Amino acid sequence: METRAPYVLIGSFVLAAILAVFGFVYWLNNTGGIGPRANYHVQFQGPVPGLLVGAGVLFNGIRVGEVTQLGLAPDNARFVNATISVASTTPVRADTRVGLDFQGLTGVPVVTLEGGMIVAKAGEPVTLIAEAGAGQSMTQAARDALRRVDTVLEDNSGPLKDTIANLKTFSDGLARNTGKIDGILAGLEKMTGGGTPAQKITYDLRTPQNLGPAGKTLSASLAIPEPTAVAMLQTQRMLFAPSGDNPGFADFLWADSIPKLVQARLIDSFENYDIAHAPLRTTDLGQADYQLLIDIRRFRIATEGEARVEIGLSARIVDRNGKVVASRLVETSEKLDKIEPAAAVAAFDAAFARIAKELIGWTVQAV
């Protein structure tokens, strides 16, 4: 039996192999790394740990070539000369900056090129000088920094020892005089008004309970608006005559401003007298038949002569047309045995009880 050779298949395979060889050669000459190249000399002014022939060359982070030759400079053993081959289209200039970078976890070294504006003269070989310390890795840079610190410390060991000794002496002196320093700081806080503010103590005005039987009650609706007073009386502090501050009352506060406190306790007093016909605040109802208008003249501790508390009120009853139906002054005082908050509040309670009883009796007769 005669064997027939597959000439067509063999011919096709040979033709494909030839085309593949031509394609591979074309790739190498254009994109595979052996296309048009330009060589440049690079000089490193120090060691280049790990740099090998074949290491990559990056221009602005893009790989453009590789290192083709490495050697020591014949005139200076500290310098390293390298030759790099890069694509001819790479814009390398005479002032292009050269460095050494370490990439990846293993720190593979590559030559880095950046920027440049000065174009070298035609035909003149370009030698690129790397920046000083360009070959230092992070570990080496840290070692050099620590070595410099150690040198500084060694050169200044004497002054540093004296400084530490002085600090110890100073701290010992502070420890021995802690009490005095605390006293000085407390005095400065007091002088400048600093420190934690003292807690204020609030005192209330007691409503009188025993106002006698309600022999007569209010025959019309009555409202008691907030009393009027000069600005000095619009306060929660204890007032004195002559005016001034008393150290024993530095933390004293009335439960509310004096006008609001007097209004509230007057209404409470009317309620204790006759809850069924007690007056209300003006905001609690529309238009009352009458209003009891109070102007506070005095609400203070008098210290001239015999110490005493003084309460003075001006009272007017007006109808819904604004006509004054009745008016009178109500004043009283209470002896003060000791000028201190608790005794003063007790004296104000006694004086206010007389004021409230007099005002209630007068009001129920007038309305």
Side-chain angles (χ1 to χ4, degrees):
M1 180 176 177
E2 184 180 355
T3 302
R4 299 179 58 186
Y7 297 111
V8 175
L9 182 60
I10 294 173
S12 299
F13 176 78
V14 172
L15 182 60
I18 294 172
L19 291 175
V21 169
F22 276 106
F24 179 70
V25 172
Y26 178 82
W27 175 77
L28 285 177
N29 280 276
N30 290 274
T31 60
I34 61 172
R37 315 289 283 177
N39 294 327
Y40 298 95
H41 296 291
V42 178
Q43 187 173 79
F44 293 93
Q45 301 178 4
V48 286
L51 186 64
L52 301 173
V53 173
V57 177
L58 308 182
F59 192 96
N60 288 345
I62 300 174
R63 184 180 178 112
V64 294
E66 59 279 329
V67 178
T68 58
Q69 187 177 353
L70 277 174
L72 297 175
D75 54 343
N76 192 331
R78 296 180 58 189
F79 292 177
V80 175
N81 291 336
T83 302
I84 60 174
S85 177
V86 300
S88 60
T89 56
T90 305
V92 178
R93 304 289 186 258
D95 59 338
T96 294
R97 295 191 301 276
V98 182
L100 198 64
D101 194 12
F102 298 87
Q103 296 186 330
L105 295 175
T106 57
V108 177
V110 293
V111 177
T112 59
L113 306 177
E114 293 182 8
M117 298 293 293
I118 302 174
V119 180
K121 296 180 180 178
E124 181 178 338
V126 177
T127 299
L128 305 176
I129 307 299
E131 299 175 352
Q136 278 191 331
S137 65
M138 294 297 293
T139 304
Q140 185 61 39
R143 289 198 187 101
D144 291 344
L146 290 174
R147 190 179 298 111
R148 288 193 293 270
V149 171
D150 184 64
T151 302
V152 171
L153 292 176
E154 183 178 359
D155 294 342
N156 295 276
S157 59
L160 283 174
K161 185 177 180 181
D162 294 340
T163 301
I164 294 172
N166 292 335
L167 287 174
K168 186 177 184 303
T169 302
F170 179 70
S171 62
D172 290 343
L174 288 178
R176 289 193 301 270
N177 295 276
T178 300
K180 294 180 181 180
I181 294 172
D182 290 342
I184 292 172
L185 293 177
L188 288 174
E189 282 187 351
K190 186 176 181 180
M191 182 178 65
T192 58
T196 303
Q199 184 68 33
K200 300 294 185 180
I201 303 175
T202 302
Y203 295 86
D204 202 355
L205 188 64
R206 190 175 62 185
T207 303
Q209 301 295 324
N210 186 17
L211 295 170
K216 185 180 180 182
T217 60
L218 292 172
S219 59
S221 61
L222 178 70
I224 303 179
E226 181 180 331
T228 57
V230 295
M232 183 177 66
L233 289 163
Q234 304 282 346
T235 182
Q236 289 181 259
R237 299 177 60 190
M238 181 65 77
L239 299 177
F240 291 87
S243 299
D245 292 329
N246 188 298
F249 290 80
D251 301 329
F252 181 96
L253 284 179
W254 284 114
D256 208 334
S257 64
I258 292 174
K260 292 181 182 294
L261 189 62
V262 169
Q263 178 195 25
R265 297 302 166 259
L266 278 177
I267 293 175
D268 292 345
S269 300
F270 272 92
E271 290 175 349
N272 289 344
Y273 175 76
D274 181 14
I275 186 63
H277 303 87
L280 300 174
R281 294 175 176 84
T282 53
T283 56
D284 294 334
L285 70 167
Q287 180 68 33
D289 296 326
Y290 296 94
Q291 291 190 58
L292 176 59
L293 304 181
I294 303 295
D295 181 71
I296 302 176
R297 294 187 167 192
R298 288 184 298 280
F299 201 91
R300 67 193 182 188
I301 296 176
T303 57
E304 287 185 336
E306 186 180 42
R308 62 198 181 279
V309 301
E310 296 179 342
I311 301 178
L313 306 179
S314 170
R316 289 177 298 162
I317 299 175
V318 298
D319 61 15
R320 70 171 62 231
N321 297 319
K323 180 182 177 180
V324 177
V325 175
S327 61
R328 69 177 298 171
L329 296 177
V330 186
E331 297 178 339
T332 189
S333 63
E334 181 73 18
K335 181 182 176 181
L336 189 58
D337 295 328
K338 187 177 181 181
I339 302 179
E340 54 91 19
V345 171
F348 272 102
D349 289 341
F352 182 76
R354 293 194 296 271
I355 290 282
K357 187 173 182 178
E358 185 175 347
L359 273 178
I360 292 173
W362 170 70
T363 302
V364 297
Q365 294 293 331
V367 174

